[in-house]
Amino acid sequence: PLCVGVCFSGDLPRHLVHGVIPIQISVSIAEEYSSFTTPVIESLALDGYPHSESSRSENVCAQPSLPCNWHVEIPILFLLLPSNFNHMNSHHWSQLSEQIQHWLVTIPSDSQHWTWGRDAFWLAFVGACPDFPGGSWLRWDMRIPLEGQFIEQWVE
């Protein structure tokens, strides 16, 4: 799917900060494609979970949401570890690194969770592939850079 985000930048006057500010967003698709897809408008609620407001391409009154995701609590789907997680089992680390990777590439890279999520990914990745960067190792999504204090010290 094609996902488009809208963010409003700027400084609101103090008296408007906690008010409801109405916005209007129009989304349409060319008629020749309307049999294949329908635009869906979602707003991000304070709990970080998207809520569908409509699947119509007509005017929609969306619920107010925070302007950008970095102010919203993003659910961390890979915590708590299962009770049978064995830190000595590289397969368990591999499963965890896959879960973290999937989560990490779906959150905004400018969110408050990105940096520590990247570091958690590399920790789990090395748990799965302790010989990294030598030996054989799993492929990872290249949107996750080989950066961060832990992994940079590991590969020295």
Side-chain angles (χ1 to χ4, degrees):
L2 172 65
C3 296
V4 177
V6 176
C7 189
F8 299 91
S9 62
D11 296 319
L12 288 175
R14 180 170 287 222
H15 70 281
L16 294 176
V17 170
H18 295 291
V20 175
I21 301 171
I23 62 169
Q24 182 177 353
I25 299 174
S26 298
V27 178
S28 62
I29 189 162
E31 191 172 320
E32 65 261 25
Y33 300 107
S34 64
S35 63
F36 303 111
T37 188
T38 302
V40 175
I41 296 178
E42 294 182 330
S43 65
L44 194 60
L46 295 177
D47 61 5
Y49 293 94
H51 297 280
S52 253
E53 295 301 326
S54 174
S55 59
R56 303 181 311 242
S57 58
E58 57 196 65
N59 289 341
V60 174
C61 180
Q63 296 294 318
S65 63
L66 293 176
C68 294
N69 289 344
W70 58 82
H71 299 292
V72 174
E73 184 69 29
I74 297 173
I76 303 168
L77 305 175
F78 54 88
L79 294 178
L80 295 168
L81 295 178
S83 60
N84 65 345
F85 184 85
N86 180 350
H87 69 280
M88 299 296 288
N89 186 326
S90 64
H91 180 69
H92 288 198
W93 285 108
S94 175
Q95 289 176 322
L96 179 60
S97 70
E98 287 175 16
Q99 291 173 336
I100 298 171
Q101 174 177 257
H102 176 73
W103 173 81
L104 192 56
V105 300
T106 61
I107 66 170
S109 60
D110 59 356
S111 77
Q112 61 185 354
H113 297 311
W114 172 259
T115 301
W116 79 260
R118 179 200 61 207
D119 293 342
F121 167 77
W122 286 117
L123 179 67
F125 186 90
V126 167
C129 307
D131 294 331
F132 180 79
S136 62
W137 34 273
L138 306 167
R139 290 193 179 273
W140 75 89
D141 191 307
M142 296 309 290
R143 290 176 285 184
I144 304 173
L146 193 62
E147 295 174 352
Q149 184 177 3
F150 170 78
I151 195 64
E152 289 174 16
Q153 288 180 353
W154 184 267
V155 296
E156 280 183 351

